[in-house]
Amino acid sequence: MRRFSLIGRLGPDDKGKINLVQSDSDVFEIDFLDGDLRMGFGIGHALDQLASLGLEPSERGIDLVVLAALVNAGDTRVSRKLNAQDGWTREIDLYVPVSAAAAWSANSGLIESMLRFLSGDRWRVFFRDRTKRTKTLAVAPKRLAIDGLTKVSLLSGGLDSLIGAVDLLSGGVRPFFVSHYWDSETAKAQAYILERLETQFGKEAFKSLRVRLGFDKHHLTTGETENTQRGRSFLFYSLATLAASAINGRTAVDIPENGLIALNVPLDPLRFGALSTRTAHPHFIASMQRLIDALALDVELNNPYRHMTKGEMVANCADKLFLQKIVSNSMSCSSPAKARYNKLSPRHCGYCVPCLIRRSSLEVGLDGDDETLYTVEDLKGHILASDQPEGEHVRSFQLMAKRIRAKPDLAKILVHKPGPLHDKPDEIPDYADVFRRGVLEVAELLKGVRARPGG
C-alpha cells in the first residue's frame, strides 16, 4: 500500500523545503499559480467572476477552496484498488499554503475527521503560511458590488437543486447560484437550467458562479484515476462558502437535497460506511459548519428540504408547471455516460439509486409525466437480474420496503447506520420519518417490477 503526499504550491516564490511526515510516501506537487501568477485549475476564473460582480471573497475562503482542490486531486487521482489494503481506504497527506497557518492548524483534527467521515480515507493535513507575495490572492472588484444578493444556493444540475432554485425565485429571493462541474453532461444540465431560469424569471433575478475544477493526467501524474469521488461535496460546499464570504453580513448557503438521499441509509449490508455517499449527510454538514465558524467565516449552511422526500419536493414546487417543462433536462443519474455501452447517447440509466428515487418522485409529484430519457425505459418489461446493476438496487428497495412495512419503528434505528445524528438530536424522529416515507415512495414505483438473482 502506498501513502501519497500532495504538496500545494503558490508560484515561483513558494519553493521552500517541505518536511514530510511520511518520508517514504509518493510525493506530488501542484502549483496553483500559472505563468502569469494567476490562480489556476478554475479557481482564478471563479475569483474573476466574483470580481466582475463587485465581490471580493475572504482570503480564508480562498484557503478553503485550495484545500478542497487538493482533496479533490487526491480523491480523483489516487486509485483505491491499487493503494488500499482493504480495497477502499487510502492514506493521503496534504500540505496546504494558507493565509493564516495558525488558525488552520488549530482545526486540522476537525478537518481530518470530517474528510474521513466523508470519503472513508485516512487524511492528514498540514498548513504553512503563504509567501509574502501571495498573501493576498483575491481579485480586486471591477465595479460596485451587485446589490440585493441575499442567499447562495447550490445548483448542481440535478432535480433537487432545480426545485430549490425555482422555489427561491418564485418566492422573490434574489439568489447567487454556485455550480461546480467537470464532465460534459453535468455542464450541459447546469447551462440549460440557468438559461431557462433566466428566461422564466428575468436576467436580473439571480447571479451565478460556475467553476470547472478538476485534475487530469497532465495536472497530476500519478498514472491513476478513481471514480468513486466521495470528497466532491467538500469542494462544492467550499466554492459556495467562497461566494458567500464575498457578500456582506451573515449569508446562508442552501444545500437543496431530499431527506432520503441526504441520509443515504444503506439499503443492504454491502453498502455500509463510505461505500454509500455522504454528500449531504447532516453530520457532514454540521462538521463543515463547525469549520466555517472556527475560521470566522460569516456563512451558514442549511438544507431546507432535509425532512422532505423527493416526491414531496416535486409536488410542492412553487412553479410546478415550469418545472414540468424543463425537468427532463436535469441530471440525477450517478453515471449517465454508461449508456454508451448500449450504443446510446449519455442519459439516465434508470436503475441506479438516484434514478429510482427520481423516477418515483416524478410519478408522485407530476403524476408520472416523465419525459426523461432512460437506458432502461420500462422497468416492468422483463425480469431484472438482481445480481446485475439493472436489478441490484430495485431488489434492495423492495426488500427494505418489506422490512419497514413489517416493522415501522425499524427506521428509527436504520437512520443511524450511515453516520451519527447527534448534531441535531431533536430532528431524529423527522429523519426516521422521511427515510420511511422515501423508501415507500420508491417501492410504489416498483410495484410489479420483478427482480431476482440471475434474472
Side-chain angles (χ1 to χ4, degrees), residues 128-238:
R128 67 184 190 281
D129 286 316
R130 298 180 198 162
T131 63
K132 184 177 180 181
R133 192 178 184 185
T134 58
K135 203 66 178 176
T136 300
L137 292 173
V139 177
K142 297 177 174 59
R143 51 168 292 174
L144 292 175
I146 291 288
D147 189 37
L149 296 175
T150 56
K151 177 173 287 194
V152 172
S153 186
L154 301 184
L155 197 148
S156 65
L159 176 53
D160 287 23
S161 67
L162 168 57
I163 293 171
V166 173
D167 285 353
L168 287 175
L169 292 167
S170 298
V173 177
R174 194 184 189 203
F176 190 13
F177 295 125
V178 174
S179 304
H180 166 258
Y181 66 97
W182 183 244
D183 65 279
S184 60
E185 293 310 307
T186 300
K188 284 194 296 186
Q190 291 171 358
Y192 174 85
I193 288 171
L194 287 168
E195 180 184 354
R196 293 302 301 269
L197 289 174
E198 184 176 300
T199 301
Q200 178 74 6
F201 295 99
K203 188 174 182 179
E204 295 302 317
F206 63 89
K207 295 298 176 184
S208 65
L209 172 71
R210 295 186 67 221
V211 184
R212 185 177 191 268
L213 198 161
F215 298 84
D216 61 25
K217 63 183 179 180
H218 304 293
H219 302 139
L220 188 57
T221 56
T222 61
E224 303 174 3
T225 59
E226 177 58 48
N227 296 321
T228 53
Q229 297 186 40
R230 291 295 184 260
R232 63 186 179 274
S233 59
F234 181 53
L235 176 58
F236 205 178
Y237 293 7
S238 297

Side-chain angles (χ1 to χ4, degrees), residues 137-381:
L137 292 173
V139 177
K142 297 177 174 59
R143 51 168 292 174
L144 292 175
I146 291 288
D147 189 37
L149 296 175
T150 56
K151 177 173 287 194
V152 172
S153 186
L154 301 184
L155 197 148
S156 65
L159 176 53
D160 287 23
S161 67
L162 168 57
I163 293 171
V166 173
D167 285 353
L168 287 175
L169 292 167
S170 298
V173 177
R174 194 184 189 203
F176 190 13
F177 295 125
V178 174
S179 304
H180 166 258
Y181 66 97
W182 183 244
D183 65 279
S184 60
E185 293 310 307
T186 300
K188 284 194 296 186
Q190 291 171 358
Y192 174 85
I193 288 171
L194 287 168
E195 180 184 354
R196 293 302 301 269
L197 289 174
E198 184 176 300
T199 301
Q200 178 74 6
F201 295 99
K203 188 174 182 179
E204 295 302 317
F206 63 89
K207 295 298 176 184
S208 65
L209 172 71
R210 295 186 67 221
V211 184
R212 185 177 191 268
L213 198 161
F215 298 84
D216 61 25
K217 63 183 179 180
H218 304 293
H219 302 139
L220 188 57
T221 56
T222 61
E224 303 174 3
T225 59
E226 177 58 48
N227 296 321
T228 53
Q229 297 186 40
R230 291 295 184 260
R232 63 186 179 274
S233 59
F234 181 53
L235 176 58
F236 205 178
Y237 293 7
S238 297
L239 289 169
T241 301
L242 175 78
S245 75
I247 300 173
N248 288 331
R250 189 162 183 82
T251 303
V253 172
D254 274 2
I255 303 165
E257 189 74 83
N258 71 86
L260 182 60
I261 283 287
L263 289 171
N264 207 7
V265 175
L267 298 173
D268 60 64
L270 298 179
R271 302 294 297 180
F272 278 126
L275 289 173
S276 288
T277 59
R278 291 161 164 171
T279 299
H281 191 278
H283 179 65
F284 172 62
I285 293 176
S287 298
M288 189 76 180
Q289 185 66 59
R290 282 196 290 274
L291 175 62
I292 288 170
D293 292 342
L295 296 171
L297 292 166
D298 208 5
V299 176
E300 184 174 356
L301 305 180
N302 176 52
N303 178 4
Y305 301 100
R306 62 192 181 278
H307 299 147
M308 296 177 67
T309 69
K310 203 182 194 84
E312 291 163 354
M313 288 181 67
V314 174
N316 293 298
C317 180
D319 192 339
K320 202 156 68 168
L321 182 61
F322 172 64
L323 177 68
Q324 193 167 10
K325 291 177 181 177
I326 72 169
V327 68
S328 62
N329 288 282
S330 62
M331 176 52 65
S332 303
C333 187
S334 58
S335 51
K338 64 190 174 190
R340 294 193 178 102
Y341 295 122
N342 294 329
K343 298 182 179 181
L344 298 170
S345 60
R347 63 188 64 193
H348 290 78
C349 70
Y351 52 77
C352 66
V353 168
C355 277
L356 293 175
I357 296 174
R358 174 193 176 93
R359 295 178 82 152
S360 66
S361 72
L362 297 178
E363 186 73 27
V364 170
L366 295 182
D367 298 322
D369 188 1
D370 184 2
E371 297 182 1
T372 306
L373 291 177
Y374 296 106
T375 301
V376 176
E377 287 283 357
D378 183 8
L379 292 172
K380 300 179 182 179

Side-chain angles (χ1 to χ4, degrees), residues 43-165:
I43 301 175
H45 183 53
L47 298 178
D48 287 342
Q49 289 181 74
L50 291 171
S52 71
L53 297 173
L55 301 174
E56 184 172 354
S58 161
E59 291 296 325
R60 292 188 184 184
I62 298 174
D63 293 340
L64 183 62
V65 172
V66 172
L67 169 61
L70 280 170
V71 170
N72 179 263
D75 195 30
T76 58
R77 303 297 301 173
V78 175
S79 166
R80 294 188 187 278
K81 181 179 180 180
L82 297 176
N83 299 292
Q85 290 180 346
D86 60 358
W88 185 267
T89 306
R90 302 163 296 182
E91 297 188 358
I92 304 173
D93 294 341
L94 305 178
Y95 295 83
V96 193
V98 292
S99 59
W104 280 96
S105 297
N107 292 286
S108 59
L110 168 60
I111 295 167
E112 291 165 357
S113 176
M114 175 176 65
L115 292 177
R116 182 166 189 183
F117 174 79
L118 183 63
S119 73
D121 302 298
R122 294 181 182 274
W123 300 85
R124 293 187 299 194
V125 293
F126 307 96
F127 300 99
R128 67 184 190 281
D129 286 316
R130 298 180 198 162
T131 63
K132 184 177 180 181
R133 192 178 184 185
T134 58
K135 203 66 178 176
T136 300
L137 292 173
V139 177
K142 297 177 174 59
R143 51 168 292 174
L144 292 175
I146 291 288
D147 189 37
L149 296 175
T150 56
K151 177 173 287 194
V152 172
S153 186
L154 301 184
L155 197 148
S156 65
L159 176 53
D160 287 23
S161 67
L162 168 57
I163 293 171

